[in-house]
Amino acid sequence: MSGYSIMIVEDETAISDLLQKTYASAGYNQVERYAKPAVALEMFKKKKYHILLADMMMPEIDGVEFLRQIREYDPLTQVIMMTAHSTLDRLLTCLELGANDCILKPLKSDDYVLEVVDDAIKKLERWRAAMKETIAIS
């Protein structure tokens, strides 16, 4: 687990603190968090992140637009959207833009948020294996 880097983009400090603590206690030691999506986007352009958790309702850049911009840089990053207030249209747009999952707030439990990231890592590993196998066959 320590080989995967996680970015949390959440303007609510209590939620960001909880997520970072939860992932750190589960052995994810590469967890970075950002309250401002513009700063997070600049860091994302400079560094590889395997998992990205982003709030849908953020100041400066809307979560859907943030997702759209992230996808331009790395389609393999597993993006998990988080929201307390959403519409079916926003959820479907996130799905269409390639969000891996969505966590509803309030967060159900530590186990639940760990399960969502673990599922995303499994999906990432399947993609990586498929790519390696395809390269080996070519």
Side-chain angles (χ1 to χ4, degrees), residues 39-57:
V39 174
L41 189 57
E42 288 305 311
M43 286 305 301
F44 188 86
K45 293 175 185 179
K46 296 176 185 176
K47 183 178 175 184
K48 172 68 178 163
Y49 293 92
H50 300 98
I51 308 293
L52 170 66
L53 291 102
D55 192 5
M56 274 192 211
M57 305 293 280

Side-chain angles (χ1 to χ4, degrees), residues 15-75:
I15 293 173
S16 181
D17 287 346
L18 174 67
L19 290 169
Q20 184 172 30
K21 183 179 175 185
T22 299
Y23 293 123
S25 68
Y28 294 99
N29 57 13
Q30 297 178 49
V31 179
E32 297 176 18
R33 59 188 183 162
Y34 299 90
K36 298 184 178 213
V39 174
L41 189 57
E42 288 305 311
M43 286 305 301
F44 188 86
K45 293 175 185 179
K46 296 176 185 176
K47 183 178 175 184
K48 172 68 178 163
Y49 293 92
H50 300 98
I51 308 293
L52 170 66
L53 291 102
D55 192 5
M56 274 192 211
M57 305 293 280
M58 298 185 286
E60 301 173 13
I61 301 173
D62 174 76
V64 173
E65 180 57 30
F66 183 78
L67 173 60
R68 185 175 281 115
Q69 292 183 37
I70 288 296
R71 282 293 171 234
E72 291 178 16
Y73 290 95
D74 190 348

Side-chain angles (χ1 to χ4, degrees), residues 94-113:
C94 287
L95 185 61
E96 289 171 2
L97 291 172
N100 188 67
D101 212 328
C102 183
I103 297 175
L104 299 177
K105 298 178 193 174
L107 304 175
K108 291 181 183 180
S109 68
D110 290 354
D111 289 340
Y112 176 72
V113 295

Side-chain angles (χ1 to χ4, degrees), residues 2 6 11 15 33 40-41 44 53 64-65 75 81-83 89 95 106 117 120 128 130 137:
S2 62
I6 299 174
D11 59 324
I15 293 173
R33 59 188 183 162
L41 189 57
F44 188 86
L53 291 102
V64 173
E65 180 57 30
M81 301 303 292
M82 300 180 292
T83 187
D89 185 52
L95 185 61
V117 166
R128 284 181 166 177
I137 294 171

